[in-house]
Amino acid sequence: MAQVHYMTEEGLKKLKDELTYLKTKGRTEIAKQIAEAREKGDLSENAEYDAAKEAQGHLELKISQLNEAIANARVLESSPDDDNSTALILSTVEIKNLQNNKVFKYTLVSEHEADLKSGKISVSSPIGKGLLGKSIGDVAEITTPGGMIKFKVLAISR
């Protein structure tokens, strides 16, 4: 049974755009590399040909993975009835690291949409998992690769 991929409308569009690019320009670029390598003679000893064929395999695998993710995507939408009392997927959570008093603001998203630079963390990451279900004022004890960190939930919005 295929795994369901929860994401926002924006995240689904991003995946579809990437798939379109790979199917068109990506395949065209790989085909050119293979053609150029073929022109160089004996394919049995042609490292460029082998590298291009390997790149083609990686490209087709990526296309297959994107097709699967899109086919099993479920778009999440915030409900106007949400009371913002609990951290859920698509919640924006403001937290305070109780060890160094730094404040962070993260939006909890699917693993396909995670982008730390834009403040989006995956609900399957250690911090994302630790924040799910927490309420304002709760302290989340989260085990990270760097050790146990305590975060206090300051605010939740959608």
Side-chain angles (χ1 to χ4, degrees):
M1 187 167 146
Q3 179 183 1
V4 175
H5 300 283
Y6 295 101
M7 58 187 63
T8 62
E9 189 71 44
E10 171 190 342
L12 182 60
K13 182 185 180 321
K14 187 176 171 185
L15 287 183
K16 286 179 178 180
D17 290 347
E18 182 180 1
L19 179 62
T20 300
Y21 174 82
L22 293 177
K23 282 183 169 182
T24 56
K25 292 185 177 156
R27 281 182 172 159
T28 302
E29 290 170 11
I30 295 291
K32 283 181 188 175
Q33 291 173 11
I34 291 171
E36 288 172 8
R38 273 195 187 126
E39 293 173 1
K40 294 184 180 179
D42 184 10
L43 298 181
S44 65
E45 296 178 13
N46 189 331
E48 285 182 44
Y49 179 78
D50 291 339
K53 289 299 278 183
E54 187 175 327
Q56 182 184 36
H58 289 296
L59 176 79
E60 293 303 324
L61 176 63
K62 181 69 174 174
I63 287 171
S64 175
Q65 290 170 337
L66 287 172
N67 274 326
E68 186 269 335
I70 291 168
N72 296 305
R74 301 295 178 268
V75 176
L76 295 168
E77 297 177 15
S78 292
S79 167
D81 298 335
D82 291 345
D83 63 2
N84 296 336
S85 64
T86 305
L88 305 170
I89 191 164
L90 297 185
S91 294
T92 299
V93 184
E94 187 174 333
I95 56 174
K96 179 179 181 180
N97 182 324
L98 296 178
Q99 294 168 335
N100 62 16
N101 290 324
K102 288 188 178 178
V103 175
F104 303 94
K105 193 177 216 177
Y106 296 118
T107 300
L108 303 175
V109 296
S110 72
E111 60 193 58
H112 292 286
E113 297 180 79
D115 179 12
L116 196 55
K117 289 180 184 175
S118 62
K120 296 178 179 180
I121 62 169
S122 168
V123 291
S124 58
S125 70
I127 293 175
K129 283 181 188 175
L131 293 176
L132 282 177
K134 297 293 187 236
S135 300
I136 296 172
D138 286 353
V139 174
E141 294 183 9
I142 300 170
T143 303
T144 66
M148 175 70 73
I149 302 175
K150 292 182 180 182
F151 292 100
K152 182 173 185 173
V153 179
L154 302 177
I156 299 172
S157 60
R158 282 189 203 30

